[in-house]
């Protein structure tokens, strides 16, 4: 995760959307490295999002989890950095 954040030049305190978040494995490191003002994980699988929800709770990380298809996301344009 640190290398991806660096390669993508993701600024700290950004609004970050992870599409295909699955079980949320990357959300905790993203939260700790980037201190985002908003962190959202989106995935089509309700089961994976439930695992992510538990993981975030156990890690003490605040993030929104949204069940959505990457082809039709429920966010306005320019909602994320």
């Amino acid at each position: 995760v640190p290398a991806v954040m660096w390669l993508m030049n993701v600024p700290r305190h950004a609004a970050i959307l992870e599409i295909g978040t699955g079980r949320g494995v990357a959300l905790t490191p993203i939260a700790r490295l980037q201190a985002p003002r908003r962190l959202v994980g989106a995935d089509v699988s309700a089961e994976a999002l439930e695992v992510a929800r538990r993981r975030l709770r156990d890690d003490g990380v605040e993030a929104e989890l949204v069940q959505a298809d990457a082809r039709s996301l429920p966010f306005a344009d320019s909602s994320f950095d």
Side-chain angles (χ1 to χ4, degrees):
V1 173
V4 172
M5 295 291 104
W6 181 79
L7 286 169
M8 293 179 63
N9 197 30
V10 177
R12 288 182 53 78
H13 312 293
I16 299 173
L17 169 63
E18 183 187 30
I19 299 172
T21 201
R23 297 174 298 140
V25 173
L27 292 174
T28 295
I30 290 170
R32 292 187 177 149
L33 289 167
Q34 301 305 119
R37 72 176 179 277
R38 182 180 183 195
L39 178 59
V40 179
D43 202 278
V44 71
S45 170
E47 293 82 10
L49 290 172
E50 186 52 41
V51 173
R53 190 169 282 107
R54 289 192 302 268
R55 179 187 306 275
L56 292 169
R57 183 188 62 233
D58 292 347
D59 291 346
V61 171
E62 292 289 325
E64 300 169 52
L65 296 174
V66 177
Q67 186 175 4
D69 188 305
R71 296 170 292 184
S72 180
L73 294 170
F75 306 107
D77 290 348
S78 301
S79 294
F80 298 93
D81 298 302

